[in-house]
Amino acid sequence: MSSFDNLKSIGLKATLPRLKILTLFEESKKRHLTAEEVYKTLTDEGLEIGLATIYRVLTQFEQAGLLIRHNFDQGKGTFELTSSQHHDHLVCTKCGHVEEFFDNEIEKRQTDIANKLGFEITDHSLNLYGECKNPAECKNNK
Amino acid sequence: MSSFDNLKSIGLKATLPRLKILTLFEESKKRHLTAEEVYKTLTDEGLEIGLATIYRVLTQFEQAGLLIRHNFDQGKGTFELTSSQHHDHLVCTKCGHVEEFFDNEIEKRQTDIANKLGFEITDHSLNLYGECKNPAECKNNK
DNA sequence: GTATATGCAAAACTTTTGCATCCTT
DNA sequence: AAGGATGCAAAAGTTTTGCATATAC
């Protein structure tokens, strides 16, 4: 499905800002972006777009299930395309590089624990913070 | 060790604001507090204390290892006393109640995964979000 | 007495909102 | 043409900082 149809299917008009933002997430090497990063990238490409629009669109995309919001850092949201497969994250505190992983056993135990404690889980976030062991790769992904 | 000695041992002067803040965490029923909650609680007790001081002290306590900072919500830090035993959190999205848990198997698998992916873990955060099943308790812990 | 800590006000930073204008359908 | 979307500027919420004053040792 094209980005254009993608927008229509969630009931949003296919405007230039929305198309550009969605395409950025689909084609960027960096899968995890903050509002500020989206703004800077698009502005650098010569697109005239307001930061307020970025925030509005990111929120709409999140509500439509197109994007997921993470709170890797204090006081700053990071977004990524919702992928078919849920996953958790390793975040390098040196260079900001984000790696993804999935572990079925961890998922299962989370559910068990929530059940035992009388919670109905709607969501969860598991982030491992540390340092890439490879300094070269660390730099490249900054 | 008293709060007083506790402060001295980390090289901080035992001032009234610091003593009050530390004591609050030690004696409060609510183990997880934001800067604003600390401010409001102490102000309500009649203590004249600036919000800036709260932030400075919380940061110092965190750096000294006395408190841990969590990012349960977007854009707002939550602090708790560092306890002898590391643990993770369930957060009720309805009432804000926070429950703690520890699972050795999850911990172990996290380490394994990080090793496999070439990360050296310095920290991690696992938060399960959902709803308390008991509405009564939910309200009481608000 | 000296160094450190505090309070206040102002500023920084991220995110949201009001409103006039513009664009998609 | 009509409703929704955008851009700008102002505002809101959290956290930080500069500086004069106050406090701990």
Side-chain angles (χ1 to χ4, degrees), chain B residues 1 5 8-9 15 19-20 30 37 39 41 47 55 65 73-74 78 82 85-86 90 124 126 132 134 137 141:
Chain B
M1 185 154 69
D5 294 330
K8 307 305 274 306
S9 73
T15 63
L19 284 167
K20 287 290 186 183
K30 203 165 183 299
E37 286 170 336
Y39 177 68
T41 305
L47 187 61
Y55 277 103
D73 309 308
Q74 125 167 162
T78 304
T82 302
Q85 166 78 73
H86 159 80
L90 287 120
H124 79 260
L126 168 54
C132 305
N134 182 340
E137 180 172 329
N141 286 287

Side-chain angles (χ1 to χ4, degrees), chain B residues 34-47:
Chain B
T34 63
E36 194 63 44
E37 286 170 336
V38 170
Y39 177 68
K40 191 169 184 324
T41 305
L42 295 182
T43 297
D44 286 354
E45 285 179 9
L47 187 61

Side-chain angles (χ1 to χ4, degrees), chain B residues 73-127:
Chain B
D73 309 308
Q74 125 167 162
K76 193 160 42 173
T78 304
F79 294 82
E80 82 173 306
L81 270 187
T82 302
S83 54
S84 45
Q85 166 78 73
H86 159 80
H87 55 258
D88 295 307
H89 298 87
L90 287 120
V91 181
C92 179
T93 50
K94 275 272 175 61
C95 71
H97 173 58
V98 178
E99 193 113 8
E100 303 172 355
F101 72 91
F102 177 81
D103 186 281
N104 223 318
E105 179 66 16
I106 290 182
E107 300 292 321
K108 190 174 157 307
R109 295 188 80 92
Q110 288 178 10
T111 311
D112 291 349
I113 288 163
N115 282 340
K116 201 175 305 174
L117 294 175
F119 269 71
E120 191 160 338
I121 297 190
T122 53
D123 193 13
H124 79 260
S125 95
L126 168 54
N127 303 316

Side-chain angles (χ1 to χ4, degrees), chain A residues 61-136:
Chain A
F61 284 2
E62 185 196 6
Q63 283 164 357
L66 233 54
L67 294 179
I68 298 182
R69 176 199 300 262
H70 301 291
N71 296 312
F72 294 149
D73 309 309
Q74 126 169 157
K76 192 160 44 172
T78 304
F79 295 81
E80 82 171 307
L81 271 186
T82 301
S83 53
S84 45
Q85 165 78 74
H86 159 79
H87 55 257
D88 295 308
H89 298 86
L90 288 120
V91 181
C92 178
T93 50
K94 275 274 177 59
C95 70
H97 173 58
V98 178
E99 193 114 8
E100 303 171 356
F101 72 91
F102 176 81
D103 186 284
N104 222 317
E105 178 66 17
I106 290 181
E107 299 293 322
K108 189 173 157 307
R109 294 188 80 92
Q110 288 179 10
T111 311
D112 292 349
I113 288 163
N115 283 340
K116 201 175 305 171
L117 293 175
F119 269 71
E120 190 160 339
I121 296 191
T122 53
D123 193 14
H124 80 260
S125 97
L126 169 54
N127 303 316
L128 309 183
Y129 298 96
E131 293 178 20
C132 304
K133 277 181 184 158
N134 182 339

Side-chain angles (χ1 to χ4, degrees), chain B residues 6-21:
Chain B
N6 226 329
L7 288 176
K8 307 305 274 306
S9 73
I10 58 175
L12 295 175
K13 286 185 181 173
T15 63
L16 192 62
R18 286 183 183 144
L19 284 167
K20 287 290 186 183
I21 292 172

Side-chain angles (χ1 to χ4, degrees), chain A residues 11-69:
Chain A
L12 294 176
K13 288 185 179 171
T15 62
L16 192 62
R18 286 183 182 143
L19 285 167
K20 287 291 187 182
I21 291 172
L22 186 50
T23 304
L24 174 58
F25 275 98
E26 287 167 345
E27 301 184 348
S28 170
K29 195 164 61 179
K30 203 164 183 299
R31 289 176 39 80
H32 305 80
L33 301 166
T34 64
E36 193 64 44
E37 285 170 336
V38 171
Y39 177 69
K40 192 170 183 321
T41 304
L42 295 182
T43 297
D44 286 355
E45 285 179 9
L47 187 63
E48 291 200 8
I49 189 169
L51 189 51
T53 300
I54 308 272
Y55 277 103
R56 274 185 292 235
V57 171
L58 290 178
T59 301
Q60 290 162 343
F61 284 2
E62 185 196 6
Q63 283 164 357
L66 233 54
L67 294 179
I68 298 182
R69 176 199 300 262

